[in-house]
């Protein structure tokens, strides 16, 4: 049980964490200015560290105010399935056999499109892969898209403004691209069981609108990037160019499919992950270094968001419950920028007697706003961790991301409101 004092402290720390997230790029600049303290400042400038750090502060404060056992009880009462799943699926999806297969497929499809290969590859990375997230889940799609686009779009010689346009389109497209099914997008998953929304309902109500918006956003971003793209790396030009045997690819594919199918059963997908680690060790000659550090940081970020976000219901739920449908859409779109969109829809699922129109507006606003900030959608930290090295100071600016996501967000909002 929490108290009003703890609720208030948690709200303040949550606000501090949000401000820290928006100022992460400042810490990176300070690290260059004050090299004596560069280690600490670099750590505080890691976006993936922010919420985990302030979640630890919250638990320590709770221990001081209510006692250590109460603080531990709260921390252990949180559901960490999503952070664990994102960690596992990032590592598996980014493995060399999976990525090499994706590169080959994209390379083949790019040859069929009536445009230069670099443009075709970028467009597929911004359109086809996010839509694939409806099958393999959004975190896996984000990982694949980020790795595909990293060496094509997010290079030092590409202007920062163009990279933020691509990043905003990617984040928005992944957020709405998972709505073709009822299990792939975290904000949809939170309400699908309670409101009895199956994949057929999602495709008919949200999916086709989201797909249209994804195609428009990808096309607009590719148009902006057209002058800055060079020939993409194909499957034969990766760092480890030796072809992976089909049997190894098949094993990785089966393990990835198993992790996705068991996404809500951490004991099961962690067991598959251990098998994956053993297999990669046994056939290390067909592997690249696993992205364990990046995935762990993302998992730490999401776990911190779970701990801090768990105590925000007292002020968030009245806002969600008190809005009319249209106001709820724009309210959800705006609140998503400073909270996780899955948390918003979960709170909506607890409201008794909520109308069908309000249900639609809540979910539509939550997914449409999922690209505005790094914390708006659970897969965003994964994309930020994999792509930040392509930006100045190796840090993604909150303002740049917000500006880059405004047009794609407007396109998604228009699709959900007008179609």
């Amino acid at each position: 049980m929490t108290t009003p004092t703890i609720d208030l402290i948690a709200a303040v720390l949550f606000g501090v964490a949000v401000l820290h997230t928006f100022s992460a790029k400042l810490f990176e600049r300070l690290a260059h200015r004050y090299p004596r303290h560069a280690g600490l400042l670099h750590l505080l400038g890691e976006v993936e560290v922010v919420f985990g750090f302030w979640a630890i502060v919250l638990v320590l404060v709770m221990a001081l105010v209510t006692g250590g056992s109460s603080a531990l009880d709260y921390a252990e009462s949180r559901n960490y399935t999503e952070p664990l799943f994102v960690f596992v699926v990032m590592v598996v999806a980014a493995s060399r056999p999976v990525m090499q297969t994706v590169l080959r497929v994209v390379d083949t499809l790019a040859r069929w499109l009536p445009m230069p290969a670099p443009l075709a590859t970028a467009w597929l990375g911004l359109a086809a892969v996010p839509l694939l997230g409806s099958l393999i889940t959004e975190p896996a799609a984000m990982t694949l898209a980020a790795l595909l686009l990293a060496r094509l779009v997010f290079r030092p010689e590409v202007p920062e403004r163009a990279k933020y346009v691509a990043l905003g389109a990617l984040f928005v497209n992944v957020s709405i691209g998972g709505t073709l099914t009822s299990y792939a997008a975290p904000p949809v998953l939170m309400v699908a069981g309670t409101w009895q929304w199956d994949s057929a309902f999602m495709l008919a109500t949200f999916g086709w609108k989201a797909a249209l918006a994804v195609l428009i956003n990808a096309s607009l971003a590719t148009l902006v990037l057209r002058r800055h793209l060079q020939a993409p790396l194909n499957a034969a030009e990766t760092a480890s160019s030796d072809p992976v045997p089909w049997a190894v690819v098949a094993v990785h594919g089966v393990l990835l499919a198993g992790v996705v199918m068991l996404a809500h059963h951490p004991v099961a997908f962690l067991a598959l992950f251990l098998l994956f680690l053993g297999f990669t060790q046994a056939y290390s000659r067909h592997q690249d270094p696993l992205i364990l550090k990046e995935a762990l940081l993302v998992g730490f970020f999401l776990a911190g968001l779970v701990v801090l976000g768990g105590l925000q219901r007292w002020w968030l739920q009245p806002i969600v419950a008190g809005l009319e449908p249209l106001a709820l859409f724009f309210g959800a779109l705006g609140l998503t920028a400073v909270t996780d969109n899955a948390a918003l829809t979960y709170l909506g699922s607890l409201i008794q007697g909520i109308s069908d129109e309000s249900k639609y507006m809540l979910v539509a606003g939550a997914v449409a706003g999922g690209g505005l900030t790094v914390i708006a959608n659970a897969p965003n930290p994964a994309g930020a961790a994999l792509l930040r090295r392509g930006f100045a100071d190796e840090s993604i600016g909150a303002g740049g991301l917000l500006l880059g996501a405004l047009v794609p967000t407007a396109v998604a909002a228009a699709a959900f409101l007008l179609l």
Side-chain angles (χ1 to χ4, degrees):
M1 292 291 293
T2 61
T3 65
T5 300
I6 292 297
D7 286 341
L8 182 59
I9 291 172
V12 171
L13 290 178
F14 184 84
V16 171
V18 172
L19 291 175
H20 188 167
T21 301
F22 277 75
S23 60
K25 202 172 183 70
L26 174 62
F27 286 95
E28 291 294 338
R29 292 172 180 166
L30 290 175
H32 293 293
R33 184 177 301 176
Y34 303 104
R36 184 178 178 182
H37 305 290
L40 176 61
L41 292 170
H42 276 306
L43 179 65
L44 294 175
E46 295 270 8
V47 173
E48 298 84 3
V49 170
V50 173
F51 272 83
F53 172 79
W54 288 106
I56 292 173
V57 173
L58 172 63
V59 173
L60 291 176
V61 171
M62 289 180 69
L64 291 174
V65 175
T66 63
S69 59
S70 176
L72 285 175
D73 287 343
Y74 171 72
E76 292 175 347
S77 71
R78 300 296 87 202
N79 186 345
Y80 300 101
T81 298
E82 185 177 57
L84 288 170
F85 171 74
V86 172
F87 163 71
V88 170
V89 82
M90 276 186 69
V91 177
V92 178
S95 62
R96 179 179 158 200
V98 175
M99 276 306 303
Q100 197 173 88
T101 302
V102 171
L103 284 171
R104 284 201 179 99
V105 172
V106 170
D107 190 44
T108 300
L109 292 175
R111 294 196 197 100
W112 293 350
L113 294 178
M115 63 181 78
L119 285 178
T121 302
W123 187 84
L124 289 168
L126 292 170
V129 180
L131 289 174
L132 183 63
S134 286
L135 296 178
I136 63 173
T137 73
E138 288 184 353
M142 179 68 82
T143 302
L144 293 173
L147 291 172
L148 173 67
L149 295 169
R151 288 170 288 184
L152 176 64
V153 176
F154 298 93
R155 297 177 289 109
E157 54 268 32
V158 176
E160 291 285 291
R161 183 178 299 179
K163 285 186 283 192
Y164 278 115
V165 168
L167 187 68
L170 174 62
F171 279 12
V172 172
N173 282 359
V174 169
S175 180
I176 63 177
T179 60
L180 280 70
T181 59
S182 60
Y183 68 87
V188 173
L189 180 65
M190 289 296 178
V191 301
T194 303
W195 294 343
Q196 298 181 338
W197 287 4
D198 58 16
S199 293
F201 173 86
M202 287 303 304
L203 182 62
T205 309
F206 291 89
W208 68 273
K209 302 174 187 178
L212 180 60
V214 165
L215 298 180
I216 293 173
N217 287 339
S219 300
L220 292 175
T222 304
L223 187 64
V224 172
L225 292 165
R226 69 190 185 282
R227 297 178 182 175
H228 309 293
L229 297 180
Q230 297 178 354
L233 294 174
N234 57 41
E237 295 173 317
T238 55
S240 301
S241 57
D242 294 336
V244 179
W246 68 266
V248 175
V249 173
V251 170
H252 278 244
V254 169
L255 289 172
L256 178 59
V259 168
V260 170
M261 292 176 63
L262 298 169
H264 313 302
H265 305 280
V267 173
F269 69 67
L270 285 173
L272 289 180
F273 183 61
L274 293 177
L275 286 175
F276 167 82
L277 292 178
F279 185 80
T280 57
Q281 182 67 29
Y283 292 91
S284 58
R285 63 188 181 277
H286 301 307
Q287 308 292 336
D288 290 330
L290 301 177
I291 60 167
L292 293 172
K293 175 187 173 182
E294 293 85 350
L296 278 171
L297 284 174
V298 171
F300 183 58
F301 177 96
L302 294 174
L305 192 56
V306 167
V307 173
L308 280 170
L311 293 175
Q312 311 308 317
R313 182 185 302 181
W314 67 274
W315 64 271
L316 271 175
Q317 191 166 8
I319 294 176
V320 174
L323 295 175
E324 295 299 320
L326 186 59
L328 182 58
F329 175 86
F330 289 105
L333 192 150
L335 285 171
T336 288
V338 294
T339 61
D340 179 59
N341 56 9
L344 282 181
T345 59
Y346 170 71
L347 293 175
S349 71
L350 301 178
I351 300 173
Q352 298 295 323
I354 185 171
S355 67
D356 289 341
E357 184 181 7
S358 292
K359 292 176 183 177
Y360 173 86
M361 290 296 187
L362 173 62
V363 174
V367 297
L372 292 171
T373 62
V374 172
I375 64 173
N377 191 34
N380 291 358
L386 295 172
L387 295 174
R388 61 185 175 85
R389 290 183 180 85
F391 290 84
D393 299 322
E394 295 190 355
S395 178
I396 293 173
L401 172 58
L402 181 64
L403 290 175
L406 285 180
V407 171
T409 300
V411 171
F416 287 131
L417 284 177
L418 302 178
L419 298 181

